[in-house]
Amino acid sequence: MTDLKHISLFQNASKEFFDSCARLAHPHSFPKGKILFIHNDPAEYFYVINKGWVKLFCETLDGTQSTIDILSIGQIFGEDSMFEDNLYHYSAEIVEHADLIQIPISILRQEIENNSKMALSMLEFVSRQRRQKEKEIEHRVIQNAPQRIGCFLLRLIKNNTPQGQTVTIHLPYDKTLIASRLGMQPETFSRALSKLKQHTGIRIKGAMVELDDLRQLIDYSCIACSSERSCKSSKEC
Amino acid sequence: MTDLKHISLFQNASKEFFDSCARLAHPHSFPKGKILFIHNDPAEYFYVINKGWVKLFCETLDGTQSTIDILSIGQIFGEDSMFEDNLYHYSAEIVEHADLIQIPISILRQEIENNSKMALSMLEFVSRQRRQKEKEIEHRVIQNAPQRIGCFLLRLIKNNTPQGQTVTIHLPYDKTLIASRLGMQPETFSRALSKLKQHTGIRIKGAMVELDDLRQLIDYSCIACSSERSCKSSKEC
DNA sequence: CGAGGGTTTGAAGTGCATCAAATAGTGTGG
DNA sequence: CCACACTATTTGATGCACTTCAAACCCTCG
């Protein structure tokens, strides 16, 4: 359970919070494909990801899905039901074998109510996510498919990577999933990626993407973005 | 300044908060077209709208705009810079002559830090907005232009309006603005609205929209939505 | 009445979706 | 270690939705 201490959201959590977690939180492993909960299920727990990937999504009656987010190590989900009517407002599916910690939402709720520093951390956290969603809408309006992929790649690169140096990016999950994350069809993703290749000189081998110069990718993708800094260094994107 | 007491976000604010506001907040009137601040301006104040309409937007170097939101009476904006680097992360423009109250962000910040009930209200507020943004992304993925307009109309209708009764909706601002709010071109909006007319039997006279039966509009628009309830009654949409 | 913005309509182009099929890649059991 | 099955990915062909550019129309307000 020491893992929780490394989650930035919990930097200001109290000893009592961690103690409660030690008593009431459960680590769990889940295989790929497992549905953790679905839209409108009553929400008792939120989850912390220690390993693997989790997809959050909604779907309509006719089965059409829209991917809300795909999360990984250090990220949390399900906590937002606290502010709604204690129902999950999305479905969650394991897309890469995952280790999760299941924690009663009530513990978090209590901590937020009693520990004002924690409440502030939570506010920062939610506010940042709100902004990211706004950015995402902007991107879908302004950027075309290849640019959205370029932006996605840039966000995968660590902030301290210097320019003018060969960089290798490992796509974190299936291309089909990336496509859904970016709001496009798999076919479109495939075609858009090769268009991106033509425009920026990136090299693609399976799930590996290599590029010699960040500059070109930034120039191509971030023209269509209002952020001052590129998506690589901006916390917004 | 009594107006502030009616803002639901401030229901749990302390007497000290309202006192500080009485001393340091300024009411202002602004004409249509006035730019309040632009992206990356240092943020000292947030705003409460008493009257009129305000557009929040971002724009890229080449002038392409993306509308984040269009707000009106009882809504606030600019407060989110508190959790960023004290810069506005969007631009704000008056789109209908507006009366605003300008309040130092520091007052709100202090209130959140000292009054845990207020922190919770704020969390609820931001969390709801985050969810609305998620819904908006879903809508743009799943719904086509006429359906998005239908959904927009439904949200304009008061929740307690009964079905099977003629309803008149007044478009709150320019059609061009509604178009930008929904992420489409004015021409697309115009065409999509008449397509919606064909499908649902609504009647359009300028800025007035009339319909005999909500049911038809709901059936047409909300098929492509994952929300349990229709956009009319759902707090999500 | 006439100027200027908002709105609609028309014609043509573009980007993405869709459907269908081929190909590559991965894991399985023999 | 190979053949098979199954899934992920790519490619091709076609269609549709929305955009873009251009022009007409309409409305309001001085």
PDB file of all heavy atoms in Angstrom, chain A residues 155-174:
ATOM      1  N   ARG A 155       3.191  14.121 -26.636  1.00  0.00           N
ATOM      2  CA  ARG A 155       2.867  13.992 -25.222  1.00  0.00           C
ATOM      3  C   ARG A 155       3.483  12.739 -24.611  1.00  0.00           C
ATOM      4  O   ARG A 155       3.609  12.628 -23.396  1.00  0.00           O
ATOM      5  CB  ARG A 155       1.350  13.994 -25.030  1.00  0.00           C
ATOM      6  CG  ARG A 155       0.769  15.397 -24.973  1.00  0.00           C
ATOM      7  CD  ARG A 155      -0.736  15.373 -24.924  1.00  0.00           C
ATOM      8  NE  ARG A 155      -1.305  15.056 -26.241  1.00  0.00           N
ATOM      9  CZ  ARG A 155      -2.455  14.417 -26.439  1.00  0.00           C
ATOM     10  NH1 ARG A 155      -3.142  13.992 -25.412  1.00  0.00           N
ATOM     11  NH2 ARG A 155      -2.893  14.192 -27.663  1.00  0.00           N
ATOM     12  N   LEU A 156       3.863  11.789 -25.472  1.00  0.00           N
ATOM     13  CA  LEU A 156       4.494  10.570 -24.963  1.00  0.00           C
ATOM     14  C   LEU A 156       5.974  10.778 -24.658  1.00  0.00           C
ATOM     15  O   LEU A 156       6.599   9.978 -23.973  1.00  0.00           O
ATOM     16  CB  LEU A 156       4.368   9.444 -25.994  1.00  0.00           C
ATOM     17  CG  LEU A 156       2.977   8.846 -26.191  1.00  0.00           C
ATOM     18  CD1 LEU A 156       2.995   7.852 -27.329  1.00  0.00           C
ATOM     19  CD2 LEU A 156       2.503   8.184 -24.903  1.00  0.00           C
ATOM     20  N   ILE A 157       6.508  11.863 -25.192  1.00  0.00           N
ATOM     21  CA  ILE A 157       7.933  12.118 -25.016  1.00  0.00           C
ATOM     22  C   ILE A 157       8.173  12.834 -23.703  1.00  0.00           C
ATOM     23  O   ILE A 157       7.452  13.761 -23.348  1.00  0.00           O
ATOM     24  CB  ILE A 157       8.466  12.975 -26.179  1.00  0.00           C
ATOM     25  CG1 ILE A 157       8.277  12.219 -27.492  1.00  0.00           C
ATOM     26  CG2 ILE A 157       9.924  13.321 -25.957  1.00  0.00           C
ATOM     27  CD1 ILE A 157       8.596  13.050 -28.706  1.00  0.00           C
ATOM     28  N   LYS A 158       9.158  12.399 -23.012  1.00  0.00           N
ATOM     29  CA  LYS A 158       9.440  13.032 -21.723  1.00  0.00           C
ATOM     30  C   LYS A 158       9.847  14.479 -21.916  1.00  0.00           C
ATOM     31  O   LYS A 158      10.484  14.842 -22.899  1.00  0.00           O
ATOM     32  CB  LYS A 158      10.556  12.273 -21.002  1.00  0.00           C
ATOM     33  CG  LYS A 158      10.134  10.878 -20.598  1.00  0.00           C
ATOM     34  CD  LYS A 158      11.083  10.230 -19.623  1.00  0.00           C
ATOM     35  CE  LYS A 158      10.592   8.820 -19.334  1.00  0.00           C
ATOM     36  NZ  LYS A 158      10.196   8.086 -20.591  1.00  0.00           N
ATOM     37  N   ASN A 159       9.469  15.302 -20.969  1.00  0.00           N
ATOM     38  CA  ASN A 159       9.653  16.738 -21.097  1.00  0.00           C
ATOM     39  C   ASN A 159      11.109  17.171 -21.255  1.00  0.00           C
ATOM     40  O   ASN A 159      11.394  18.162 -21.896  1.00  0.00           O
ATOM     41  CB  ASN A 159       9.069  17.447 -19.867  1.00  0.00           C
ATOM     42  CG  ASN A 159       7.611  17.747 -20.083  1.00  0.00           C
ATOM     43  OD1 ASN A 159       7.126  17.685 -21.215  1.00  0.00           O
ATOM     44  ND2 ASN A 159       6.906  18.069 -19.026  1.00  0.00           N
ATOM     45  N   ASN A 160      11.993  16.410 -20.664  1.00  0.00           N
ATOM     46  CA  ASN A 160      13.383  16.867 -20.662  1.00  0.00           C
ATOM     47  C   ASN A 160      14.180  16.395 -21.873  1.00  0.00           C
ATOM     48  O   ASN A 160      15.377  16.634 -21.968  1.00  0.00           O
ATOM     49  CB  ASN A 160      14.086  16.420 -19.375  1.00  0.00           C
ATOM     50  CG  ASN A 160      13.831  14.946 -19.101  1.00  0.00           C
ATOM     51  OD1 ASN A 160      13.454  14.209 -20.023  1.00  0.00           O
ATOM     52  ND2 ASN A 160      14.034  14.515 -17.875  1.00  0.00           N
ATOM     53  N   THR A 161      13.505  15.727 -22.794  1.00  0.00           N
ATOM     54  CA  THR A 161      14.214  15.277 -23.990  1.00  0.00           C
ATOM     55  C   THR A 161      14.683  16.483 -24.808  1.00  0.00           C
ATOM     56  O   THR A 161      13.893  17.360 -25.125  1.00  0.00           O
ATOM     57  CB  THR A 161      13.289  14.417 -24.867  1.00  0.00           C
ATOM     58  OG1 THR A 161      12.725  13.385 -24.071  1.00  0.00           O
ATOM     59  CG2 THR A 161      14.057  13.808 -26.013  1.00  0.00           C
ATOM     60  N   PRO A 162      15.978  16.522 -25.117  1.00  0.00           N
ATOM     61  CA  PRO A 162      16.488  17.664 -25.865  1.00  0.00           C
ATOM     62  C   PRO A 162      16.119  17.574 -27.345  1.00  0.00           C
ATOM     63  O   PRO A 162      15.815  16.498 -27.842  1.00  0.00           O
ATOM     64  CB  PRO A 162      17.996  17.539 -25.689  1.00  0.00           C
ATOM     65  CG  PRO A 162      18.237  16.083 -25.489  1.00  0.00           C
ATOM     66  CD  PRO A 162      17.007  15.527 -24.833  1.00  0.00           C
ATOM     67  N   GLN A 163      16.145  18.706 -27.998  1.00  0.00           N
ATOM     68  CA  GLN A 163      15.882  18.707 -29.437  1.00  0.00           C
ATOM     69  C   GLN A 163      17.100  18.236 -30.212  1.00  0.00           C
ATOM     70  O   GLN A 163      18.174  18.099 -29.671  1.00  0.00           O
ATOM     71  CB  GLN A 163      15.504  20.115 -29.894  1.00  0.00           C
ATOM     72  CG  GLN A 163      14.045  20.431 -29.640  1.00  0.00           C
ATOM     73  CD  GLN A 163      13.663  21.791 -30.187  1.00  0.00           C
ATOM     74  OE1 GLN A 163      14.337  22.310 -31.058  1.00  0.00           O
ATOM     75  NE2 GLN A 163      12.594  22.347 -29.663  1.00  0.00           N
ATOM     76  N   GLY A 164      16.911  17.999 -31.510  1.00  0.00           N
ATOM     77  CA  GLY A 164      18.018  17.652 -32.382  1.00  0.00           C
ATOM     78  C   GLY A 164      18.689  16.342 -32.034  1.00  0.00           C
ATOM     79  O   GLY A 164      19.887  16.170 -32.163  1.00  0.00           O
ATOM     80  N   GLN A 165      17.886  15.416 -31.563  1.00  0.00           N
ATOM     81  CA  GLN A 165      18.457  14.142 -31.156  1.00  0.00           C
ATOM     82  C   GLN A 165      17.442  13.069 -31.513  1.00  0.00           C
ATOM     83  O   GLN A 165      16.245  13.282 -31.421  1.00  0.00           O
ATOM     84  CB  GLN A 165      18.690  14.192 -29.640  1.00  0.00           C
ATOM     85  CG  GLN A 165      19.398  12.991 -29.076  1.00  0.00           C
ATOM     86  CD  GLN A 165      19.683  13.208 -27.589  1.00  0.00           C
ATOM     87  OE1 GLN A 165      20.207  14.239 -27.179  1.00  0.00           O
ATOM     88  NE2 GLN A 165      19.306  12.245 -26.771  1.00  0.00           N
ATOM     89  N   THR A 166      17.924  11.898 -31.923  1.00  0.00           N
ATOM     90  CA  THR A 166      16.996  10.851 -32.312  1.00  0.00           C
ATOM     91  C   THR A 166      16.214  10.365 -31.101  1.00  0.00           C
ATOM     92  O   THR A 166      16.776  10.087 -30.049  1.00  0.00           O
ATOM     93  CB  THR A 166      17.751   9.668 -32.941  1.00  0.00           C
ATOM     94  OG1 THR A 166      18.451  10.143 -34.089  1.00  0.00           O
ATOM     95  CG2 THR A 166      16.781   8.576 -33.362  1.00  0.00           C
ATOM     96  N   VAL A 167      14.901  10.277 -31.280  1.00  0.00           N
ATOM     97  CA  VAL A 167      14.028   9.866 -30.195  1.00  0.00           C
ATOM     98  C   VAL A 167      13.250   8.627 -30.633  1.00  0.00           C
ATOM     99  O   VAL A 167      12.810   8.544 -31.771  1.00  0.00           O
ATOM    100  CB  VAL A 167      13.014  10.971 -29.840  1.00  0.00           C
ATOM    101  CG1 VAL A 167      12.211  10.576 -28.611  1.00  0.00           C
ATOM    102  CG2 VAL A 167      13.713  12.292 -29.613  1.00  0.00           C
ATOM    103  N   THR A 168      13.126   7.674 -29.728  1.00  0.00           N
ATOM    104  CA  THR A 168      12.302   6.516 -30.024  1.00  0.00           C
ATOM    105  C   THR A 168      11.090   6.517 -29.107  1.00  0.00           C
ATOM    106  O   THR A 168      11.221   6.595 -27.895  1.00  0.00           O
ATOM    107  CB  THR A 168      13.093   5.210 -29.815  1.00  0.00           C
ATOM    108  OG1 THR A 168      14.277   5.267 -30.605  1.00  0.00           O
ATOM    109  CG2 THR A 168      12.259   4.009 -30.247  1.00  0.00           C
ATOM    110  N   ILE A 169       9.941   6.430 -29.725  1.00  0.00           N
ATOM    111  CA  ILE A 169       8.699   6.424 -28.956  1.00  0.00           C
ATOM    112  C   ILE A 169       8.066   5.047 -29.073  1.00  0.00           C
ATOM    113  O   ILE A 169       7.987   4.478 -30.154  1.00  0.00           O
ATOM    114  CB  ILE A 169       7.710   7.471 -29.504  1.00  0.00           C
ATOM    115  CG1 ILE A 169       8.343   8.859 -29.513  1.00  0.00           C
ATOM    116  CG2 ILE A 169       6.428   7.477 -28.692  1.00  0.00           C
ATOM    117  CD1 ILE A 169       7.558   9.866 -30.324  1.00  0.00           C
ATOM    118  N   HIS A 170       7.633   4.543 -27.951  1.00  0.00           N
ATOM    119  CA  HIS A 170       6.971   3.243 -27.928  1.00  0.00           C
ATOM    120  C   HIS A 170       5.475   3.476 -27.769  1.00  0.00           C
ATOM    121  O   HIS A 170       5.048   3.999 -26.747  1.00  0.00           O
ATOM    122  CB  HIS A 170       7.504   2.439 -26.749  1.00  0.00           C
ATOM    123  CG  HIS A 170       7.399   0.982 -26.962  1.00  0.00           C
ATOM    124  ND1 HIS A 170       8.470   0.205 -27.335  1.00  0.00           N
ATOM    125  CD2 HIS A 170       6.336   0.155 -26.892  1.00  0.00           C
ATOM    126  CE1 HIS A 170       8.077  -1.049 -27.466  1.00  0.00           C
ATOM    127  NE2 HIS A 170       6.777  -1.104 -27.202  1.00  0.00           N
ATOM    128  N   LEU A 171       4.685   3.091 -28.757  1.00  0.00           N
ATOM    129  CA  LEU A 171       3.240   3.276 -28.615  1.00  0.00           C
ATOM    130  C   LEU A 171       2.752   2.437 -27.441  1.00  0.00           C
ATOM    131  O   LEU A 171       3.033   1.242 -27.369  1.00  0.00           O
ATOM    132  CB  LEU A 171       2.513   2.872 -29.898  1.00  0.00           C
ATOM    133  CG  LEU A 171       2.875   3.682 -31.142  1.00  0.00           C
ATOM    134  CD1 LEU A 171       2.044   3.260 -32.343  1.00  0.00           C
ATOM    135  CD2 LEU A 171       2.715   5.172 -30.892  1.00  0.00           C
ATOM    136  N   PRO A 172       2.042   3.045 -26.524  1.00  0.00           N
ATOM    137  CA  PRO A 172       1.738   2.385 -25.250  1.00  0.00           C
ATOM    138  C   PRO A 172       0.669   1.305 -25.338  1.00  0.00           C
ATOM    139  O   PRO A 172       0.572   0.461 -24.467  1.00  0.00           O
ATOM    140  CB  PRO A 172       1.272   3.529 -24.360  1.00  0.00           C
ATOM    141  CG  PRO A 172       0.745   4.558 -25.305  1.00  0.00           C
ATOM    142  CD  PRO A 172       1.546   4.420 -26.549  1.00  0.00           C
ATOM    143  N   TYR A 173      -0.159   1.341 -26.349  1.00  0.00           N
ATOM    144  CA  TYR A 173      -1.194   0.317 -26.498  1.00  0.00           C
ATOM    145  C   TYR A 173      -1.606   0.231 -27.966  1.00  0.00           C
ATOM    146  O   TYR A 173      -1.080   0.974 -28.802  1.00  0.00           O
ATOM    147  CB  TYR A 173      -2.387   0.582 -25.580  1.00  0.00           C
ATOM    148  CG  TYR A 173      -2.780   2.037 -25.427  1.00  0.00           C
ATOM    149  CD1 TYR A 173      -3.568   2.653 -26.379  1.00  0.00           C
ATOM    150  CD2 TYR A 173      -2.357   2.791 -24.329  1.00  0.00           C
ATOM    151  CE1 TYR A 173      -3.932   3.984 -26.248  1.00  0.00           C
ATOM    152  CE2 TYR A 173      -2.716   4.131 -24.199  1.00  0.00           C
ATOM    153  CZ  TYR A 173      -3.504   4.718 -25.164  1.00  0.00           C
ATOM    154  OH  TYR A 173      -3.850   6.034 -25.033  1.00  0.00           O
ATOM    155  N   ASP A 174      -2.514  -0.692 -28.246  1.00  0.00           N
ATOM    156  CA  ASP A 174      -2.938  -0.950 -29.624  1.00  0.00           C
ATOM    157  C   ASP A 174      -3.248   0.309 -30.429  1.00  0.00           C
ATOM    158  O   ASP A 174      -3.817   1.253 -29.906  1.00  0.00           O
ATOM    159  CB  ASP A 174      -4.220  -1.799 -29.627  1.00  0.00           C
ATOM    160  CG  ASP A 174      -3.950  -3.229 -29.249  1.00  0.00           C
ATOM    161  OD1 ASP A 174      -2.764  -3.575 -29.094  1.00  0.00           O
ATOM    162  OD2 ASP A 174      -4.920  -3.985 -29.109  1.00  0.00           O
TER     163      ASP A 174
END
